[in-house]
Structure formats: structure tokens, C-alpha cells
Amino acid sequence: MKVVYEIQSIKHELANISGEIGFVPTMGALHEGHISLVKHALEDKVYTVVSIYVNPTQFNSKEDLKNYPRNFDKDISVLEKTGCNLVFLPDDNQMYPEPDFRKFDFGFLEKTMEGTHRPGHFNGVAKIVTKLFDIVKPSRAYFGLKDFQQLAIIQKLVKDYNYPVKIVSCPIVREKDGLAMSSRNQLLGKKERFAAPMIYETLQYAKNTIKKKSIPELKIDIENIFNTQKILRLEYFEVVDDLTLEPVSDYLANNSLTACIAVWAGNVRLIDNVQLNS
Ligand code: AMP
């Protein structure tokens, strides 16, 4: 496995690759969720490139950027064991040698859920993903369904800019108690970590109840569940159409729907989702 730090070096390495390139962009502090994306790429028999870069433009809070876990040495040794081919570990000077003023417009896809609660987040995601796609030129790129709205935005980005990249969506990897794996989980205090499985339990409740109650009734139930305790604070719960991300108020068996949730556990923000029709 090669590790490169500069754009020039990665371009040089990739110039000699004749087969397909599979790309897994990450922000590091790798866990089994990230590794599952790498494994999907390796199973596809593509030359597998993983990037590790904590992208400042997608953070809407300086505090969150400062606290974001970083453990690049450990990440490299974890990746080495997977059989991944190349790791790209650029710094800010490489990725943003000068301010990037680009503005992307994803229409309604960015005007809901994460887009509303994290202003500028998806614009920053689009900045870094376009830069990385232009450098790596992958034919396949692997993203986790954990970031369900991000996946919808990336699909739109690829269509709008005609990137010749197949976006492969990979299932959410969870801890034994159901908590979706996330780099931010390591920032949780003991009490918060103990309470956090309630997030997935709530999504399962939604899945089991969706045909029995109206969605507004379900939302009230979920608010009540969170009001019975003090450790987790519900930011939003939405049932949305998988393709348009429009909120849905009635369950329709024909539409593909996803329940999405964002929760504060102390000062750590966690998101999760579950497909309701599967
Ligand atoms: P991040 O490092 O958080 O930017 O995530 C990098 C990629 O890993 C994104 O495509 C995420 O959706 C994906 N990912 C993060 N957590 C998980 C998980 N628990 N299961 C599957 N994919 C994940």
C-alpha cells in the first residue's frame, strides 16, 4: 500500500494504473463502517484509493472541526491490513491553496434536514468531492448510506457535472447495540454512549409503526420518547421520499421512504436513518 501526501504524487502514481479505479473518500478516524466501503471496492476488483482529509469547508462549527478525531497513523495501519492500494493524505495547502468560492445549488436536496441545520455543509462537501474526483478520476466511488442525504447530493452532483463515476451506496454498519458507527462516537461521554442506542431503537419503532399510524402521529410519539429522558436531544425526525427528500405525511407503500434522525448527545451530533419499505 502506498501513502501519498501531495496531488502531484498521487497523479504520478495513478498515471501508471490502466484498470478501473475505485475511490473511498473519508475524513479518517476510521472504523468498520469505513472499512466496509474499502471492502466493497476490493470485492469489485478495482485499484482502491482511500483519501483521508478532514475537510474544513464542510464544518459549520469551528468547535466541531477542532474536536473532530484525527488519528492518521492508526488509520494507515488499519488500511494496510485491508489490502487497499493507495492512501491519499493531503493537507489544507494541497486541497485549498487558495480560497474556493464556488457555490453549488442542489435545489430542495440541500434545503432540508442536514442542509437546514448545517448551513454550508453540502457546499463544502461538493467542493471537496469535486476536487478529489478531478484528482483521482475514479470510475467507481463508494459512499455510506449512513450519510443518506449526502448520497443524494453526490448522485445529483455526478449527474449535473457529468462525472463518469458510478456511485456505489453501501449499507450502514452498526455497533452490536445498534448505534450506527461514526467517527464522532469516540467523542461521546459514558452516559451519552450508554443512551445513544435509543436513536436506532427509535428508527425501528418508526419502521414498525409506519403502517399503523399517520406520520404526524408518529412524529409526536418520537418527540415524546425523547422528552422522557434528558441525555439525548432530538434535532429532527423526518420521513422522506428516497429520491426527492421531500417530507412525506402519509405512508404510501409504492414510494420508497426513509426515516432520518439527528440527535444531540451532549455536544456531539449524531445522525442515522432507516429504509422504511425494505
Ligand atoms: P466520513 O469519514 O464520516 O466522512 O465518512 C466517509 C464515508 O464513510 C462516507 O461515505 C460515510 O457515509 C461512510 N460511513 C461513515 N460511517 C458509516 C457507517 N457506519 N456505515 C457505512 N458507511 C459509513
Side-chain angles (χ1 to χ4, degrees), residues 16 59 72 92 108 113 136 146 151 186 197 200 209 218 243-244 269 277:
N16 301 321
F59 284 79
F72 303 138
D92 292 341
F108 185 75
M113 303 190 289
V136 178
K146 159 81 170 38
L151 205 38
Q186 54 180 280
Y200 183 51
T209 316
L218 178 61
L243 296 178
T244 63
R269 189 172 178 280
N277 310 68

Side-chain angles (χ1 to χ4, degrees), residues 1-5 10 13-14 17 22 24 26 30 35 38 42 47-52 71-89:
M1 185 182 85
K2 292 222 159 89
V3 183
V4 294
Y5 299 87
I10 186 172
E13 287 298 330
L14 295 178
I17 305 303
V24 180
T26 81
L30 301 180
I35 300 308
V38 179
L42 291 168
Y47 181 91
T48 300
V49 176
V50 177
S51 66
I52 300 176
N71 202 339
F72 303 138
D73 292 341
K74 184 165 168 232
D75 289 345
I76 291 171
S77 69
V78 167
L79 286 172
E80 190 111 54
K81 293 188 194 104
T82 63
C84 139
N85 300 99
L86 191 146
V87 180
F88 181 44
L89 228 162

Side-chain angles (χ1 to χ4, degrees), residues 25-28 31 33-34 36-37 68 142-144 146-147 150 171-173 180-181:
T26 81
M27 296 207 300
H31 50 66
H34 297 113
S36 75
L37 307 190
Y68 199 82
Y142 300 79
F143 288 86
K146 159 81 170 38
D147 298 279
Q150 170 173 279
I172 302 177
V173 178
M181 288 194 182

